Amino acid sequence: MKAAVLYGIHDLRLEERPRPSPAADEVLVRIKAVGVCGSDLHFYHEGHIGDKVVERPYVLGHEAAGEVVEVGADVKAYKVGDRVCLEPGIPCRKCAWDKRGEYNLCPHGVYQSGPHTDGFFQEYTAIPADYVFPLPDNLDWIDGALIEPFVVGLHATWRANVQPGASVAILGAGPIGLMTLAAAQAHGATTTIVADVIEKRLSLARELGATHALNAREVKTVDEVQRLTGGIGADVVFETAGAIPTQQQSVWAARRGGTVVLVGMPGESVIPLDTMRVIRAELSVKGSFRYANHFPKAIDLSASGRFNLRPIATHTFPLEQIGEAFETSLTKKDVAIKVVVTI
Ligand SMILES: [Zn+2]
C-alpha cells in the first residue's frame, strides 16, 4: 500500500509499505479521506510539539473516514463494505482514568499520528473495532473526515457545560474554533461571539451562524465581548487560537463566575496570566484535551443536517499531492481552513 511517511521537517515521502492485517479484535479500513490537523503541521514544520519530537519516520493524520475491507476473527459489529469514521487514540483500557470513562487522559495509550505511532495518511489501517463508528449514508468521506475536529469542539463545550441560552466567546476561528461554535450551538448557546484576525475565518463563522464575528485587529476583543453581553462578559470563553495574548484575554472576556476553557496549545507552556482576576471573579478555568465518548453524538449531529460543517473543508488534494496539501495548509492561512487529503 501507499503511505505518506514523515522523515523530518518538510520531508514527506510517499512510499510502499506492507498492508497491515487486522488482529482478532480489529478491522482493516481502506482510508478514504483524512484532514490535515494543526498538530500534523507542527510536526511537519517544526519537528515537534512541546516535548513530543519526531525522532524516526512515521505517518501523520488522525481525522479519517474509510471503508471496512476485512474484519478480525472476533469482530461481530462490522462487515466488509461498512462505511466508518475512525477515532484515534487507543487507551490501555486498564488504568484509573479509563475506568472513570476519561480515557483521553490515559497515560499509557497510543495516539495515531503522535510520534511514533502511524496515523492515517496511508491506504489502509488496522484499528480496534470499538474505535470505529458507522458513518451514515448522507455523510460522504470528507464529512467523515470532519467528524474528529467536531468531536474536539463537542468535548470543549461538554467540559464547559454550556447551557441553553448561554453567551459564549470563542477566541480563534480556525477549524477547532469553528467546530466549537457549532458544538456551542448544539448545546443551545444563543449569543455566539467569534474573534479572529483572518477575514476568511470570520466570514465562515458568520456562515456557520455566529451572532458576532470580531476582527481582533480592528476592535479590542475583551471590550467588544463585554459590550455585546451588556457589560457582563460571556458565560463561557473558549480559547481556541493557542496563542498567549488570547489566553490572557480569556479571563477578562468571561463574566464574573463564568468559565474559561483552554483548548488551543501555544508553543510555550508557562505564560503570565492574571490569576487575581481568576480569584476575584471566581472563574472556573479548565483544560480540554482531545475527547472521550463523543464520536457517536458528533456523527448523529452532523448527519442531522442541523449544522453545515462542510464549508470548513476548503481544499482537497489526493494522497499523491500530500506535500502540496501540507504547504497549502501552512502557507495559505488567509484562504485555507481545513485541507483534506483524499485517498
Ligand atoms: Zn489507560
Side-chain angles (χ1 to χ4, degrees):
M1 67 168 182
K2 285 198 206 89
V5 184
L6 181 71
Y7 274 80
I9 291 175
H10 287 242
D11 186 3
L12 266 176
R13 302 180 200 171
L14 214 54
E15 59 184 39
E16 286 291 325
R17 283 189 166 189
R19 177 171 150 171
S21 290
D25 64 344
E26 291 181 333
V27 289
L28 183 69
V29 177
R30 169 74 169 86
I31 306 281
K32 297 288 191 176
V34 193
V36 177
C37 174
S39 62
D40 295 323
L41 290 176
H42 281 295
F43 290 124
Y44 172 77
H45 189 52
E46 290 138 26
H48 70 98
I49 296 179
D51 58 356
K52 297 201 180 302
V53 181
V54 176
E55 286 162 341
R56 58 177 185 271
Y58 77 109
V59 177
L60 294 168
H62 54 259
E63 305 174 357
E67 184 181 335
V68 173
V69 291
E70 197 179 332
V71 297
D74 297 341
V75 174
K76 302 280 185 280
Y78 294 96
K79 61 183 189 311
V80 171
D82 283 347
R83 303 168 74 252
V84 291
C85 188
L86 287 68
E87 175 170 357
I90 312 299
C92 76
R93 304 174 190 259
K94 290 175 181 167
C95 69
W97 295 276
D98 297 352
K99 288 183 173 176
R100 293 168 61 95
E102 300 166 352
Y103 63 87
N104 55 322
L105 306 180
C106 173
H108 315 293
V110 297
Y111 193 84
Q112 291 97 330
S113 85
H116 300 277
T117 306
D118 284 339
F120 302 142
F121 287 120
Q122 53 184 351
E123 288 182 298
Y124 296 90
T125 196
I127 181 169
D130 57 334
Y131 279 77
V132 301
F133 300 92
L135 189 66
D137 288 339
N138 68 334
L139 297 180
D140 68 13
W141 300 122
I142 292 171
D143 296 325
L146 291 175
I147 293 295
E148 194 270 357
F150 187 31
V151 174
V152 174
L154 269 182
H155 188 67
T157 51
W158 175 82
R159 288 281 295 150
N161 193 18
V162 173
Q163 295 290 312
S167 57
V168 306
I170 298 164
L171 310 185
I176 296 302
L178 294 169
M179 292 297 186
T180 301
L181 167 64
Q185 291 166 337
H187 280 253
T190 46
T191 300
T192 48
I193 305 163
V194 177
D196 202 286
V197 294
I198 296 172
E199 199 45 52
K200 167 78 178 173
R201 295 176 176 207
L202 293 171
S203 73
L204 263 176
R206 286 184 203 101
E207 189 176 342
L208 266 60
T211 55
H212 308 278
L214 313 177
N215 190 324
R217 285 200 206 287
E218 293 165 6
V219 297
K220 286 194 159 66
T221 303
V222 169
D223 291 352
E224 273 301 285
V225 171
Q226 291 287 339
R227 190 181 68 79
L228 292 166
T229 52
I232 292 171
D235 293 320
V236 180
V237 177
F238 296 97
E239 201 289 333
T240 48
I244 291 169
T246 39
Q247 283 196 340
Q248 291 171 328
Q249 286 163 5
S250 63
V251 297
W252 289 100
R255 69 164 168 83
R256 290 172 177 230
T259 300
V260 171
V261 180
L262 304 177
V263 188
M265 292 184 182
E268 294 167 60
S269 53
V270 180
I271 66 155
L273 191 73
D274 194 333
T275 51
M276 190 65 85
R277 167 69 181 174
V278 174
I279 295 164
R280 285 185 170 156
E282 286 200 342
L283 298 180
S284 300
V285 179
K286 298 181 171 188
S288 184
F289 184 61
R290 296 174 185 160
Y291 32 70
N293 307 304
H294 300 302
F295 265 75
K297 279 178 266 182
I299 292 168
D300 283 354
L301 284 165
S302 184
S304 75
R306 288 169 60 207
F307 308 97
N308 185 16
L309 306 176
R310 189 52 174 265
I312 294 172
T314 50
H315 294 69
T316 58
F317 292 92
L319 183 63
E320 291 70 20
Q321 293 174 26
I322 190 166
E324 204 173 326
F326 271 67
E327 287 298 323
T328 299
S329 205
L330 200 58
T331 62
K332 296 184 179 168
K333 292 201 186 295
D334 53 331
V335 289
I337 307 295
K338 174 63 71 184
V339 175
V340 178
V341 173
T342 57
I343 304 178

